[in-house]
Amino acid sequence: MVERFHTIEAKGVWLTLDTAVGHVRRFEVERDGTRVRPLHTAPWVDDPAVANDPSILPNLKFLAGDFFCAPFGKNDVEDAPPHGWPANSEWKSLGDKSFVGGVTARFELGKKVMGATLIKAITLRDGHPFAYQRHVFTGGTGAVSVASHAMTHFARDGRLSFSPKAFGELPPAQQESDPKLGRSLFAKGARFTDLHKLPLADGTTVDLHRYPVAKGHEDFVMLVEAKDSPLGWTAAVRPDAHDIVVSLKNPADFPVTFLWFSNGGRYYAPWNSRHIGALGIEEGRAYLANGHAASIAPNPLSDAGIPTALTLKPNGEAEVRHVIGGVPLPSGWASVFSIEAGLTQLTLVGDTGGTLKVPFDQNFLV
């Protein structure tokens, strides 16, 4: 019998992958006697009515944690579902390899992406509050948009912080434009540079550093990394969970961060207005949520030298890397001021001026 839920662990860190769809179902970190669970799982993943509904895609039926998209958004180049086969189909375990101080689990996607074989490698290290993820394409032709689709959840107000961004941009169409199906509030097609002033459709603005920005809405925004940024990061302070959710990347791999605000703004199945307080922190190499074809065609980002797709190598490998983690929230911190990576540790600086240092493998993102 094929194992569906594959679990690995190192000292102080646990991860379970749902191999039916490649979603991280469980990720837990323990530090100084406190255990945190930084990732979000949709409330319907164990609902038989959803699981047995043929009209709902596997990606939505078992929406959880973090998953890899290839392509990101609609699939209008190959015959595959939105977010691609990596987020909707089975992964085969290639086994776990233990090493001094940790473990790496490898999985192979059962289907091809643009003719390429795709390998997922997840590494946990003793004492590191992170999951180190590699996605490696072998062979294939053409190019594909990609994203690592992490999600967290807020039970009450929280704060967001980011590495420096060149600008934010909103898609030309809202997530939900039919009021019978849902509700979106962000403006359409707008570009802005002050993250404290994201434009809304009614002419007002909201502060992206706060969660939630509104109630009962479904919205999406793209943040483009500042030029020559050495480390891309997002930090979500969740006072309700007493933790900080951390997403880390090399901007050369993922030059943009997509924020997906899913806060009760979809009325149809499986959402049914019950997906509340969710935030996608999605590190991407894509052109907005416009789909595969738009990301591999010339577009305003690629014309500006910002890659929106990963070029595959018929006789070689192409890969991207992402680090997701969580740490207990230090007393008195309301937000994260900055994050800096050293060779063996990551330093978080709080708004109070205090620092938190945790083990980190900087070489992973080089």
Side-chain angles (χ1 to χ4, degrees):
M1 183 177 179
V2 176
E3 172 194 49
R4 174 172 173 179
F5 295 102
H6 188 101
T7 298
I8 57 173
E9 65 178 273
K11 185 177 180 180
V13 59
W14 299 261
L15 183 144
T16 299
L17 186 76
D18 180 355
T19 64
V21 285
H23 293 218
V24 175
R25 177 62 69 92
R26 170 197 180 211
F27 178 59
E28 298 183 18
V29 171
E30 187 173 289
R31 181 176 173 83
D32 299 328
T34 299
R35 187 171 293 205
V36 298
R37 300 169 179 85
L39 299 183
H40 166 67
T41 297
W44 57 75
V45 295
D46 295 317
D47 184 343
V50 173
N52 296 323
D53 187 338
S55 69
I56 300 175
L57 293 169
N59 174 56
L60 293 182
K61 289 181 179 182
F62 308 114
L63 183 68
D66 191 5
F67 56 91
F68 189 67
C69 307
F72 178 72
K74 64 182 177 181
N75 204 332
D76 46 10
V77 174
E78 284 194 304
D79 183 15
H83 286 331
W85 292 121
N88 286 276
S89 62
E90 189 174 3
W91 292 76
K92 174 186 175 183
S93 172
L94 300 179
D96 303 345
K97 183 178 181 180
S98 297
F99 55 89
V100 176
V103 61
T104 296
R106 297 175 69 249
F107 306 87
E108 181 178 334
L109 183 66
K111 296 180 180 292
K112 303 288 187 181
V113 177
M114 299 292 288
T117 298
L118 180 58
I119 301 295
K120 179 193 298 285
I122 303 175
T123 297
L124 304 181
R125 294 181 176 274
D126 291 348
H128 291 223
F130 304 112
Y132 299 91
Q133 302 181 81
R134 297 174 63 215
H135 285 89
V136 184
F137 296 86
T138 301
T141 57
V144 61
S145 57
V146 294
S148 192
H149 194 300
M151 298 171 290
T152 191
H153 177 267
F154 293 82
R156 59 185 179 89
D157 294 0
R159 293 295 298 269
L160 302 175
S161 304
F162 311 97
S163 53
K165 307 301 180 188
F167 59 88
E169 187 168 333
L170 298 167
Q174 291 182 316
Q175 293 281 291
E176 297 294 342
S177 57
D178 185 342
K180 295 180 180 179
L181 298 178
R183 177 175 182 253
S184 293
L185 301 176
F186 291 3
K188 295 185 290 186
R191 181 175 288 194
F192 59 100
T193 56
D194 185 349
L195 302 193
H196 295 281
K197 297 180 179 180
L198 181 148
L200 300 183
D202 65 3
T204 63
T205 63
V206 292
D207 185 355
L208 267 185
H209 296 91
R210 298 181 179 274
Y211 192 96
V213 295
K215 294 182 178 179
H217 73 118
E218 192 82 16
D219 278 294
F220 178 91
V221 61
M222 176 181 70
L223 305 180
V224 177
E225 205 69 25
K227 186 178 181 181
D228 301 324
S229 174
L231 176 71
W233 57 268
T234 298
V237 169
R238 304 191 303 165
D240 58 286
H242 306 289
D243 69 5
I244 305 172
V245 184
V246 180
S247 177
L248 305 166
K249 64 180 179 179
N250 183 336
D253 281 353
F254 294 119
V256 303
T257 297
F258 300 116
L259 298 179
W260 169 43
F261 293 81
S262 188
N263 194 19
R266 281 180 170 155
Y267 310 150
Y268 50 93
W271 314 91
N272 297 334
S273 301
R274 57 178 165 166
H275 200 238
I276 297 171
L279 177 70
I281 303 172
E282 306 160 23
E283 308 300 356
R285 190 184 183 101
Y287 178 44
L288 291 165
N290 293 345
H292 192 173
S295 293
I296 62 177
N299 60 68
L301 288 192
S302 63
D303 289 346
I306 301 166
T308 55
L310 184 67
T311 301
L312 303 177
K313 300 178 181 179
N315 299 308
E317 295 182 346
E319 70 170 271
V320 288
R321 302 185 179 200
H322 174 227
V323 180
I324 192 73
V327 295
L329 179 63
S331 178
W333 286 30
S335 64
V336 172
F337 177 74
S338 66
I339 295 180
E340 295 183 3
L343 187 60
T344 61
Q345 67 180 12
L346 192 78
T347 301
L348 290 79
V349 180
D351 57 316
T352 63
T355 61
L356 173 64
K357 298 180 184 292
V358 296
F360 177 64
D361 179 11
Q362 184 190 36
N363 287 331
F364 182 80
L365 290 178
V366 172

